[in-house]
Amino acid sequence: MFIALAIAGWVLTAFLTSVYFKAGKFKLTASIDTLVGAGMTWTKQIPEFVVRLIALLELIGVAGIILAPAAYQFAGFEWALIWGVLAAAGLALTMVVAFVMHAVRAELKYTWKINVLVILASGALTAILALLPSVK
């Protein structure tokens, strides 16, 4: 059971890392005009530092879902796993806020599928990381 959960966790981590790293890096490095041109029109309506802060939080979340489980599984640092759980939960919360924002802006017809997929994947990773110690 531990091996199956660990594999599922790493598959979800790979998916979420690709999504959040790409999004975070783009929001951190691109100009606001470039972000607007890419369809992120909300970035024009909030302060730039908030856009950059969201990007940094996404990138920190990516580091957390990679480094914490790796420290737990490969180095035996049991205390590290809680940081992975918190990082995955934080990424899920990020997407819940994004979902609400898109709903308020009447953009869900364009974004709901990826929002729901990433919320579910982040939630599943949170659950898997929380369950790992009990099935070891």
Side-chain angles (χ1 to χ4, degrees):
M1 177 83 158
F2 177 82
I3 293 173
L5 277 179
I7 291 170
W10 284 113
V11 168
L12 288 170
T13 297
F15 168 69
L16 292 170
T17 297
S18 68
V19 169
Y20 283 112
F21 183 79
K22 182 179 177 185
K25 183 180 175 218
F26 186 51
K27 285 187 217 110
L28 188 62
T29 59
S31 70
I32 297 299
D33 289 335
T34 301
L35 295 171
V36 170
M40 295 183 201
T41 55
W42 59 271
T43 59
K44 194 79 163 174
Q45 299 164 344
I46 63 173
E48 182 176 350
F49 83 90
V50 175
V51 176
R52 306 307 182 196
L53 177 62
I54 292 167
L56 284 173
L57 291 173
E58 289 173 338
L59 295 173
I60 290 168
V62 165
I65 64 172
I66 294 170
L67 298 176
Y72 170 74
Q73 287 181 349
F74 304 121
F77 298 143
E78 301 221 1
W79 56 266
L81 194 57
I82 188 63
W83 294 104
V85 172
L86 293 172
L91 291 173
L93 182 60
T94 299
M95 284 312 296
V96 168
V97 171
F99 185 88
V100 170
M101 183 196 70
H102 290 302
V104 167
R105 295 175 48 84
E107 298 170 341
L108 277 182
K109 64 183 175 184
Y110 307 112
T111 64
W112 76 269
K113 291 176 187 173
I114 189 66
N115 287 158
V116 169
L117 178 64
V118 175
I119 289 168
L120 292 174
S122 298
L125 181 59
T126 303
I128 287 170
L129 294 177
L131 286 173
L132 277 178
S134 65
V135 296
K136 193 169 185 182

